[in-house]
Amino acid sequence: MKVISIVGARPQLVKLAPIAAAFAGTEHEHVIVHTGQHYDADLSDVFFDGLGIPDPDVHLGVGSGSHGVQTGTVLAALDPVLERERPDWVLVYGDTNSTIAGALSAVKMHLPVAHLEAGLRSFNRRMPEEHNRVLTDHCADVLLAPTEEAMRHLADEGLKDRAVLAGDVMVDICLRIRDDVRAGKHQAPALPEGIDPAQPFLLATLHRPDNTDDPERLTAIVASLAALPVPVALLAHPRLVARAKEHGIELAQGSVHVGRPLPYAGLIAAVLASTGVVTDSGGLQKEAFLLERVTTTIRPETEWVETVDTGWNVLVPDPHTLSADDWAATVTRPAPTADPGTPYGDGQAARNVVRILADLHQQKGGSRHA
Ligand code: UD1
């Protein structure tokens, strides 16, 4: 069986790591195509190096652009690659512009598409990711769902027959790296200047267009972080840095200490060193949950409802509308005591994915790549 993984943005590289490792121990051929959506070393190269992912077999180098330009450029660049490779499965990840472009290119060539992290919904149609994931789910042939909740969403949309509960591959990688960090196998993370990891601090990230692109809103959110009574280590995504500069907003103010994005192991170590997380990232909400750190999410909703249901995550869409005391009390609240269970699976999701794809391939009678 020959499988092509199409990745391009940081969270996809994290998910690719356990998948690439699971394929490595098999007779199957796994081809990696990097679209180049993320091209900064901080958002791409360090993940390949740090997570032991083999170099991409194909690099499309599409770079930034408006949604239409970015999606369309990936789509056009993929056609000849898929035509040449003729894989048995095209595996697309998550909800980025690279995901929808990969799925569209493949489905139009009658190549079977598998969607990893299928069935997530925010029900917020302002998010580009929501369109990407809904459209990808509806055109893919097999929907690899991470959670029971995702399975329910797929059933609600009439996609039950194509859905399989595979578990969440981010658990596989997060727990592995957590154990490595605890065993001292990684260097201490490069935290922003002024953050003492031996003292309480909050770890923060912010990159959603809804939070970064309106200058008034961004100013208010940064002011809320700046007013907190605990140091805040803000790992600044290029989008945040670019928008802040464009609008003349100083990120490093009050309690906020600004640093660069961290490689994956550095991020895991930073979460473990922190007393809590403030974010709008989907992945980080779940990593904090798995690493048992309370999270405050600056969004009106989340796809990862299990983190909220168990009390580990609290949604605060507009921190600046809370009183300073309430906001501070929320982000520094104590951890819940009840057992959160394992809503994201047992850390074997990548192996499940390989098995599911191989079984389905066999049922179809295999092919020249069998
Ligand atoms: C993308 C994904 C989002 C994911 C996020 C993780 C879409 C629609 N969004 O958002 O789901 O959570 O990645 O990081 O696909 N830029 C750089 N260097 C880079 C990459 C981007 O400077 O390596 C700049 C671009 O110039 C642009 C901005 O960052 O201004 C946004 O990049 P883009 O890939 O469009 O979306 P993200 O916000 O990163």
Side-chain angles (χ1 to χ4, degrees):
M1 176 176 71
K2 177 172 179 176
V3 178
I4 289 200
S5 280
I6 299 175
V7 294
R10 176 171 59 176
Q12 294 166 331
L13 307 181
V14 174
K15 291 162 203 156
L16 172 64
I19 293 284
F23 272 115
T26 70
E27 77 278 17
H28 307 303
E29 189 182 350
H30 183 223
V31 176
I32 299 172
V33 177
H34 191 319
T35 65
Q37 173 170 353
H38 283 175
Y39 44 86
D40 280 2
D42 283 352
L43 296 194
S44 181
D45 302 3
V46 295
F47 288 84
F48 280 88
D49 299 345
L51 296 177
I53 307 170
D55 284 343
D57 299 280
V58 180
H59 205 298
L60 306 179
V62 300
S64 298
S66 65
H67 288 290
V69 167
Q70 195 172 54
T71 309
T73 311
V74 176
L75 194 50
L78 272 176
D79 282 356
V81 175
L82 296 185
E83 187 60 56
R84 186 176 70 233
E85 298 284 346
R86 301 303 300 179
D88 297 305
W89 285 106
V90 174
L91 182 58
V92 294
Y93 297 64
D95 56 18
T96 73
N97 292 337
S98 298
T99 314
I100 181 70
L104 269 181
S105 173
V107 82
K108 281 172 185 276
M109 283 187 198
H110 309 297
L111 294 170
V113 181
H115 183 204
L116 186 82
E117 214 176 66
L120 292 192
R121 296 293 180 265
S122 68
F123 301 102
N124 177 352
R125 289 175 58 82
R126 284 186 50 80
M127 289 176 70
E129 293 83 1
E130 184 72 356
H131 304 292
N132 289 341
R133 52 172 92 98
V134 170
L135 294 168
T136 301
D137 280 342
H138 281 259
C139 78
D141 299 275
V142 62
L143 305 174
L144 302 161
T147 60
E148 295 283 1
E149 177 82 2
M151 290 291 283
R152 278 190 286 276
H153 292 321
L154 293 169
D156 288 347
E157 293 176 27
L159 299 173
K160 193 174 174 195
D161 292 350
R162 287 186 253 159
V164 191
L165 183 63
D168 189 334
V169 297
M170 283 186 60
V171 178
D172 306 18
I173 186 76
C174 182
L175 299 187
R176 173 161 77 78
I177 300 293
R178 176 200 63 187
D179 293 345
D180 288 353
V181 166
R182 284 191 175 147
K185 291 189 190 162
H186 294 280
Q187 283 180 350
L191 291 171
E193 228 178 281
I195 295 290
D196 176 355
Q199 298 298 321
F201 74 93
L202 294 163
L203 192 72
T205 73
L206 204 62
H207 79 280
R208 297 266 161 222
D210 262 2
N211 285 336
T212 58
D213 292 7
D214 171 6
E216 253 180 63
R217 180 165 173 80
L218 180 57
T219 303
I221 293 174
V222 174
S224 299
L225 294 175
L228 285 171
V230 207
V232 177
L234 176 62
L235 307 178
H237 183 283
R239 171 188 284 281
L240 173 63
V241 174
R243 295 297 175 271
K245 194 167 167 215
E246 201 175 305
H247 301 300
I249 299 165
E250 180 58 70
L251 294 175
Q253 47 171 297
S255 297
V256 178
H257 301 261
V258 181
R260 285 166 50 179
L262 290 171
Y264 191 72
L267 179 80
I268 298 302
V271 173
L272 288 170
S274 75
T275 47
V277 169
V278 183
T279 191
D280 61 5
S281 150
L284 189 50
Q285 288 171 51
K286 211 171 35 187
E287 280 145 2
F289 171 83
L290 295 169
L291 300 170
E292 299 178 4
R293 291 296 176 278
V294 289
T295 298
T296 305
T297 297
I298 306 182
R299 277 182 54 192
E301 74 287 298
T302 179
E303 299 78 12
W304 304 109
V305 290
E306 302 79 4
T307 62
V308 173
D309 295 346
T310 51
W312 284 89
N313 189 6
V314 168
L315 304 176
V316 180
D318 304 301
H320 40 286
T321 61
L322 299 186
S323 73
D325 286 350
D326 284 352
W327 167 235
T330 302
V331 297
T332 58
R333 68 194 185 278
T337 46
D339 178 2
T342 52
Y344 301 112
D346 57 2
Q348 298 297 322
R351 276 167 47 184
N352 294 341
V353 166
V354 174
R355 185 181 40 75
I356 292 164
L357 295 184
D359 287 353
L360 288 171
H361 176 59
Q362 270 226 319
Q363 282 167 27
K364 285 190 295 185
S367 79
R368 61 196 169 283
H369 300 298

